[in-house]
């Protein structure tokens, strides 16, 4: 077996796991997270909190599983850029610039998944090779 079979899965785990962990940590820090959302001037902090948790936790887990990976990766890429612009655009602070660039780099990796798919070890790949009624299909 080729190592290329496993690389997309490893990439999805390495990108999806930090999103899932961030979403999970937000669940335990509602007040702090909504407070931070308020300080940057975003409207409806409770709604923004719910969206952030759903996108990060749900999107991270779906990406790891490789389910609807292209769509999920695109949503996470847009979320990463929006987060970079909204929360990390103070370039006078070197730490904020590093976080901005980190988000941009994550978006780049996510766009690779959106362009090329989830890879062999994914739910997406498994479902596209199964015919109706469980009959195997020949792909080539």
């Amino acid at each position: 077996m080729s190592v290329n079979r496993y690389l997309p899965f490893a990439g999805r785990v390495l990108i999806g796991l930090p999103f899932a962990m961030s979403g999970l940590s937000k669940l335990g820090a509602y007040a702090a997270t909504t407070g931070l959302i308020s300080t940057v001037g975003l409207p409806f902090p409770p709604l923004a909190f719910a969206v952030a948790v759903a996108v990060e936790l749900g999107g991270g887990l779906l990406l790891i599983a490789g389910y609807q990976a292209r769509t999920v990766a695109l949503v996470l890429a847009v979320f990463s850029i929006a987060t970079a612009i909204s929360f990390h655009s103070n370039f006078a602070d070197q730490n904020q610039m590093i976080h901005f660039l980190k988000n941009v780099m994550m978006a780049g990796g996510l766009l690779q998944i959106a362009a090329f798919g989830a890879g062999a070890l994914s739910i997406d790949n498994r479902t596209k090779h199964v015919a109706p009624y469980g009959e195997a299909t020949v792909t080539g």
Side-chain angles (χ1 to χ4, degrees):
M1 287 204 186
S2 171
V3 70
N4 289 337
R5 177 177 173 83
Y6 300 99
L7 288 177
F9 173 69
R12 290 194 333 268
V13 169
L14 292 173
I15 293 178
L17 191 58
F19 278 103
M21 291 173 59
S22 179
L24 194 58
S25 72
K26 282 177 177 55
L27 285 176
Y30 176 79
T33 304
T34 55
L36 180 62
I37 292 168
S38 294
T39 63
V40 298
L42 291 177
F44 309 112
L47 177 61
F49 171 85
V51 169
V53 169
V55 169
E56 289 182 340
L57 182 57
L61 293 174
L62 290 171
L63 191 65
I64 291 167
Y67 180 74
Q68 297 292 316
R70 289 177 188 252
T71 302
V72 170
L74 192 56
V75 168
L76 287 171
V78 169
F79 181 83
S80 294
I81 296 298
T83 301
I85 292 167
S86 298
F87 293 93
H88 305 302
S89 59
N90 178 10
F91 296 144
D93 179 350
Q94 184 178 12
N95 189 43
Q96 289 302 312
M97 182 182 285
I98 290 168
H99 283 291
F100 181 90
L101 293 173
K102 170 208 46 140
N103 282 38
V104 169
M105 288 184 280
M106 288 188 315
L110 290 160
L111 290 176
Q112 290 289 308
I113 295 169
F116 298 108
L121 300 176
S122 66
I123 293 173
D124 287 350
N125 190 55
R126 180 182 169 113
T127 58
K128 77 178 180 183
H129 292 296
V130 176
Y133 310 107
E135 299 170 13
T137 61
V138 177
T139 60

